[in-house]
Amino acid sequence: MNEQSVPSGIDPKLLEILVCPLTKQALRYDREHQELVSAAAGLAFPIRDGIPIMLVDEARRLDDAASTTRPEGAAQ
Amino acid sequence: MDQGLPTVFDRRALRRQRTRAAAGFARHDFLVRAGAERLADRLDDMKPRFARVLELGAHGGILRDSLAGRAGEALHVAADLAPAMLARAQMPVVVADEEALPFATASFDLVLSNLSLHWVNDLPGALVQIRRILRPDGLLLASLLGGRTLEELRLCLLEAESEVAGGASPRVSPFVDTRDAGALLQRAGFALPVADADLLTVTYPDALALMRDLRGMGEANAATARPRRFTRRDILVRAAAIYGDRFAGPDGRIHASFEIVTLTGWAPAPGQPKPLRPGSAAARLADALGAEERPAGDKAPHG
């Protein structure tokens, strides 16, 4: 079995090639909050159980830091 | 995202369908296994080895089991729209949408997609994005459901609904035409594009069992034009009866067609084999055929 080095951490080889799905720009890995931050798009993509969720619907908007992610209502 | 191209498929509905299907997927995966076999066969014919592989629309990584290291892969990433589909995959996984790929340019040597691209709204756009994440001379190998898929069910539902409700709405998702698929690859900038199709016939006790299986594999209708409410029970029952009358074998089991279109295309690179320029031939075709050459537009005499 392939044990991940960091529990619930993201695979480093995967981290190297991930970009923002909208802008295709590089992402900043926020280890503490387990997020991949796209400054260009103003979005933070969550990492849940080590799986990066690279969907715009699921991303947190950076200008609205206090709100929690609401997949159904976020797009409006 | 809401403006511009018309949206045929509801990607959120598809995501919900896949999430619901994930737990029991192993009981309904024959189609995905059939698609995976075709891709593995194609790969067996390829000489190059592919170190970095992306499986797009991974359905839990079935394809990697079929490949079993045959591609020579060192990194195998699985991507799917639904995290639940990736839960059991023993590899780096990412939740991603084929319509907005989150990978850097030239990240992969091989992109595999097994029976997933038929759900994409903007197939040309998705193909362009796939070409971008391939290194030059990288390979796209994909299977998707073609236009003859579920033609029997489509017909029966249409007929049952117009009988029972006096009107009809699309209840089976539209699929790509095989002839168009090759042209799309070319338009997306792939070199040496090949598209071919084969028809798989599956039998079920009745049409309701077929519909249950479709839901089980997460392939029920996700067209945005689909009715918001569930299909009425009386319409389904009538459709099943019509299906049984028209498409049952001597044993009483009904037949369902699935057309699997298999695509290959290479990201362009210098030194790749290319078709020759028109007019660059060194010998005349007429000589090779032993025929008399005539100017264009001149009709050959009858006889």
Side-chain angles (χ1 to χ4, degrees), chain A residues 1-2 4 11 13-14 16-22 24 27 48 50-58 71-76, chain B residues 1-2 12 15-16 52 74-75 77 81 83 86-87 90-97 100-105 107-108 129 132:
Chain A
M1 292 291 111
N2 242 342
Q4 280 170 319
D11 187 287
K13 277 184 281 187
L14 182 57
E16 260 173 44
I17 53 174
L18 282 180
V19 296
C20 171
L22 281 186
K24 316 294 184 196
L27 297 162
R48 297 191 193 121
I51 304 180
I53 315 289
M54 305 307 291
L55 303 176
V56 174
D57 279 1
E58 300 272 315
E72 294 300 328
Q76 247 50 49
Chain B
M1 282 240 168
D2 291 343
R12 282 186 195 165
R15 190 153 181 254
R16 285 194 295 272
R52 297 165 303 161
L75 171 68
V77 177
L81 200 52
L86 297 167
Q90 296 289 326
M91 59 185 94
V93 295
V94 53
V95 173
D97 190 333
L101 291 177
F103 304 104
T105 304
S107 293
F108 295 101
Q129 291 195 45
R132 189 187 56 80

